[in-house]
Amino acid sequence: LFPVLPKIPIQLIYFDADADFPADIQILYDRSSTFFLGYECLAVLSICLIRALIRTQYEDSKEESL
């Protein structure tokens, strides 16, 4: 659960790949999120969160290789 903004938590659920299904990620919002932001803004917020997670992973793996 990521509290990306006050009153707007985002939950990411990761399903690992197996023989029958590819890997998948679901993005879940709190039911009240649309009272604070529109759907387009929530989508952009999700993109920003995912980019930040990818950037963090990249920076962590870069530090480990040093």
Side-chain angles (χ1 to χ4, degrees), residues 4-5 8 10 29 33 36-48:
V4 292
L5 289 174
I8 302 185
I10 294 178
Y29 305 95
S33 295
F36 303 105
L37 288 176
Y39 293 109
E40 294 85 6
C41 293
L42 290 171
V44 170
L45 192 61
S46 299
I47 292 168
C48 292

Side-chain angles (χ1 to χ4, degrees), residues 44-63:
V44 170
L45 192 61
S46 299
I47 292 168
C48 292
L49 173 62
I50 292 167
R51 285 183 179 172
L53 291 171
I54 291 170
R55 187 177 321 115
T56 301
Q57 176 63 31
Y58 174 75
E59 290 171 357
D60 287 349
S61 65
K62 193 171 152 183
E63 287 177 6

Side-chain angles (χ1 to χ4, degrees), residues 13-33:
I13 301 176
Y14 174 75
F15 297 96
D16 204 7
D18 62 16
D20 298 322
F21 298 100
D24 190 31
I25 294 179
Q26 291 182 355
I27 301 172
L28 304 176
Y29 305 95
D30 186 82
R31 190 177 302 227
S32 64
S33 295

